[in-house]
Amino acid sequence: MRELGEFALIDRINAGREQAAQVLLGPGDDAALLAAPDGRFVVSTDMLVEGRHFRFDWSTPRDIGRKAIAQNAADVVAMGARPTGFVVALGCPADTPVPVVEGIADGMWLEAVRAGGSITGGDLVLSEQWVISVTAFGDLGGQAALTRSGAGVGEVVAVSGELGWSAAGLAVLSAGADTSDPAFAHALATHRVPQPPYAEVIDLFGEHIPTALTDVSDGLLADLGHLAHASGVAIDVHAAALTDPELSALADRLEADAAQWILAGGEDHAFVGTWPSSTALPPGWRPIGVVTAGSGVTVDGTRPSGGTGWESFRGADATPTGHNR
Amino acid sequence: MRELGEFALIDRINAGREQAAQVLLGPGDDAALLAAPDGRFVVSTDMLVEGRHFRFDWSTPRDIGRKAIAQNAADVVAMGARPTGFVVALGCPADTPVPVVEGIADGMWLEAVRAGGSITGGDLVLSEQWVISVTAFGDLGGQAALTRSGAGVGEVVAVSGELGWSAAGLAVLSAGADTSDPAFAHALATHRVPQPPYAEVIDLFGEHIPTALTDVSDGLLADLGHLAHASGVAIDVHAAALTDPELSALADRLEADAAQWILAGGEDHAFVGTWPSSTALPPGWRPIGVVTAGSGVTVDGTRPSGGTGWESFRGADATPTGHNR
């Protein structure tokens, strides 16, 4: 990479890319220009650090690129917005082989297009440690933003997307289990490239708009805790609604606790929201609990003990890698 | 920092901040929401790595925060847009004292407000190496974006802002000179906190809109090279228009070459643009050269030898710190 140089490498990873229609000016000038037809835009940013949020011995560069975009796209979608574009900054060691950067860029592009946008610009710098920073944009299409603060007492809590499978994949990798075992394939794939159900959030709401919405990135209980706090309510989760026999079978093999993965794992980037009990849930959503008066999150009426989610600094000692809000 | 935890620290550095009017939803949800009254928005991103782009023994945390915002705001302004907001991601070691993060945040806020925006969101993660990633947004107010590609043969090249003083400050620090010497004060201040002349670009154009515009971040010749390449023209710079007696006196003291600082230094975040020769230059702009047919950049008709600017990877061996596009 040092031989090729920053500008030549940027030219190479941008070559042949087709920008989304809403990108009015892509990479190559002082800044990019994106359309914001709504007159507003949603923006979210995440930083991923090698060894903490991703590992090159556990994921391909392409997977790392996809995941970096997916988790940021999920934040945009969790506001009820359609992803429109992404800017990325990479800090990488001077001896990084060019194909590693190209692989990350390819993965980023793949997922950006899947989410409905493109990579509209970026930065590339030398750094001893690998760092990936992504900023994602979205358009609300004239709708109100779906914040965490609108949940009301008596409402239904529902989820779209998988829970616990990313944590299971991380457990497989951490345990040094045989990653070629087909029984681990789905967990590993989910950990390496989460598949946020973008379409369920944006396209299928119809008349079934949630009162509050967030994505599950820190862990279900932690993220519900943020939502409950922002809304000034309590949430009770029904354990029976969260059981997953396939995940339990996998947990047994690793002598792990599937419930812990589901409640505290995060990183699947499922979406969780609240709806008035009189409203039918949109297709693809399943009820998992209720909004009650008070504060905090309980499981079947009991306040859970033990880890309930991820926090970057204090959680750092407990978990080697894999989490980012 | 590890004791305080990510969420508590984020709460602390956001406490008491007042978001700009165009920020419809600030930090605390899955994403922020900004107004884009123009129906488009400009976006630029930069990553700064400790030891390469900043050093805690050379700058205060507050200065580092200001500079990180200033260089991104300059990119937005260089498109002819008004800065509206910024999102930031910080990667910092677990043993970072909380006041260091607070100082960086204070500096970022100070400069964001100076540029016309606010810090609308961010991320905070553990990292062995300090990394700061900033993404800046701007609004064009119904005007066309001022790209690098509009320069025409026969036009005047003009500059607003200082050139070479940031490089001089870096030279003072690199040489281990007495930083308390008043003779070095302006150079050091400029290196630590560049002062892009935001107002000259946006407010004073009036009828004097440039045909092309960029900011000087890689170095004057390098950035003019990008502009010339994008416009399919050549540029000849007049050395006599660039002399700076005060800077020359400083260079003599350090046995350095002021012309090299001016032509290749970058990082002052001056702005350089092109205007038809029939158009009067806006207030605050001074002519430094002409656009000609051909390609590349010359000084008084001669192609310069030696370093002409900064490139992150290939330049890395030559310069210890201080540059970012």
Side-chain angles (χ1 to χ4, degrees):
Chain A
M1 164 165 305
R2 192 196 299 269
E3 281 108 69
L4 194 56
E6 175 192 359
F7 298 143
L9 183 55
I10 289 174
D11 285 347
R12 189 188 285 203
I13 60 181
N14 283 332
R17 309 288 187 187
E18 192 177 342
Q19 291 290 339
Q22 64 271 21
V23 179
L24 306 174
L25 190 66
D29 216 294
D30 293 301
L33 183 62
L34 271 80
D38 178 84
R40 306 168 294 174
F41 65 98
V42 156
V43 54
S44 181
T45 195
D46 266 336
M47 181 176 275
L48 292 83
V49 177
E50 194 216 340
R52 194 164 298 281
H53 305 109
F54 64 90
R55 285 173 54 158
F56 286 110
D57 55 339
W58 284 0
S59 300
T60 64
R62 188 183 178 92
D63 286 348
I64 291 165
R66 287 194 66 182
K67 183 171 188 165
I69 295 297
Q71 71 179 52
N72 278 277
D75 280 325
V76 163
V77 171
M79 299 300 288
R82 284 174 199 281
T84 52
F86 304 84
V87 295
V88 298
L90 304 183
C92 43
D95 61 358
T96 304
V98 169
V100 171
V101 179
E102 291 180 317
I104 290 175
D106 286 345
M108 288 179 156
W109 269 92
L110 198 158
E111 193 68 18
V113 170
R114 194 178 95 81
S118 56
I119 311 290
T120 69
D123 193 16
L124 188 59
V125 300
L126 273 183
S127 163
E128 277 102 80
Q129 190 175 15
W130 254 101
V131 183
I132 301 174
S133 189
V134 177
T135 305
F137 312 108
D139 190 88
L140 286 166
Q143 302 295 311
L146 301 176
T147 68
R148 298 172 179 166
S149 59
V153 173
E155 294 184 343
V156 174
V157 179
V159 159
S160 178
E162 291 186 322
L163 293 171
W165 284 90
S166 175
L170 177 60
V172 169
L173 291 164
S174 301
D178 176 11
T179 54
S180 67
D181 186 331
F184 300 145
H186 183 64
L188 288 170
T190 304
H191 178 69
R192 287 168 174 152
V193 184
Q195 301 278 326
Y198 306 127
E200 276 73 7
V201 174
I202 300 301
D203 295 332
L204 300 183
F205 280 162
E207 302 295 302
H208 318 287
I209 305 287
T211 55
L213 187 69
T214 191
D215 76 316
V216 181
S217 48
D218 296 329
L220 179 65
L221 296 185
D223 289 306
L224 284 178
H226 302 151
L227 192 151
H229 181 75
S231 296
V233 298
I235 286 175
D236 186 47
V237 168
H238 307 324
L242 292 169
T243 55
D244 181 335
E246 282 185 70
L247 194 65
S248 295
L250 190 59
D252 288 345
R253 283 195 52 171
L254 294 168
E255 298 180 359
D257 180 2
Q260 183 70 10
W261 291 342
I262 291 168
L263 294 174
E267 274 230 311
D268 297 277
H269 298 287
F271 297 99
V272 61
T274 54
W275 280 262
S277 56
S278 57
T279 303
L281 292 177
W285 292 80
R286 56 190 192 278
I288 62 159
V290 292
V291 181
T292 61
S295 66
V297 180
T298 50
V299 179
D300 293 338
T302 303
R303 211 162 287 274
S305 59
T308 57
W310 171 261
E311 189 168 349
S312 182
F313 291 101
R314 294 196 291 189
D317 291 329
T319 313
T321 188
H323 291 75
N324 200 307
R325 290 182 81 187
Chain B
M1 165 163 305
R2 192 196 299 267
E3 281 109 70
L4 194 57
E6 174 192 1
F7 298 144
L9 183 55
I10 289 173
D11 285 347
R12 189 188 286 202
I13 59 182
N14 283 331
R17 310 288 187 187
E18 192 177 340
Q19 291 290 339
Q22 64 271 19
V23 179
L24 307 174
L25 190 65
D29 216 295
D30 293 301
L33 183 62
L34 272 81
D38 178 84
R40 305 168 295 174
F41 65 98
V42 156
V43 53
S44 181
T45 196
D46 266 337
M47 181 176 276
L48 293 83
V49 177
E50 194 217 340
R52 193 165 297 282
H53 305 109
F54 64 91
R55 283 174 55 159
F56 285 110
D57 56 339
W58 284 0
S59 301
T60 64
R62 189 184 177 92
D63 286 348
I64 292 165
R66 286 194 67 181
K67 183 171 187 165
I69 294 297
Q71 72 180 52
N72 278 277
D75 280 324
V76 163
V77 170
M79 299 301 287
R82 284 175 200 280
T84 53
F86 303 84
V87 294
V88 299
L90 304 183
C92 43
D95 60 358
T96 304
V98 169
V100 171
V101 179
E102 291 180 317
I104 289 175
D106 285 345
M108 287 179 157
W109 269 93
L110 197 159
E111 192 68 18
V113 170
R114 194 178 95 81
S118 56
I119 311 290
T120 69
D123 193 15
L124 187 60
V125 300
L126 273 182
S127 164
E128 276 101 81
Q129 189 176 15
W130 254 101
V131 183
I132 300 174
S133 189
V134 177
T135 306
F137 312 108
D139 190 89
L140 287 166
Q143 303 294 310
L146 301 175
T147 68
R148 298 172 178 167
S149 59
V153 173
E155 294 184 344
V156 174
V157 180
V159 159
S160 176
E162 292 186 323
L163 293 171
W165 284 91
S166 175
L170 178 61
V172 169
L173 291 164
S174 301
D178 175 10
T179 55
S180 67
D181 186 330
F184 300 144
H186 183 64
L188 288 169
T190 303
H191 179 68
R192 287 169 174 152
V193 183
Q195 301 278 329
Y198 305 128
E200 275 74 7
V201 173
I202 300 299
D203 296 333
L204 300 182
F205 280 162
E207 301 296 302
H208 317 288
I209 305 286
T211 54
L213 187 69
T214 191
D215 77 317
V216 180
S217 48
D218 295 330
L220 180 65
L221 296 185
D223 289 306
L224 285 177
H226 302 152
L227 191 151
H229 180 76
S231 295
V233 298
I235 286 175
D236 187 47
V237 168
H238 307 323
L242 291 169
T243 54
D244 181 335
E246 283 184 71
L247 194 66
S248 295
L250 189 60
D252 288 345
R253 283 196 52 172
L254 295 168
E255 297 179 1
D257 180 2
Q260 183 70 10
W261 291 342
I262 291 168
L263 294 174
E267 275 229 310
D268 297 278
H269 297 287
F271 296 99
V272 61
T274 53
W275 281 262
S277 56
S278 57
T279 303
L281 292 177
W285 291 79
R286 57 190 191 279
I288 62 160
V290 292
V291 180
T292 61
S295 66
V297 180
T298 49
V299 179
D300 293 338
T302 303
R303 211 163 288 273
S305 59
T308 56
W310 172 260
E311 189 168 347
S312 181
F313 292 100
R314 292 197 292 191
D317 291 331
T319 313
T321 188
H323 290 73
N324 199 309
R325 291 182 79 185

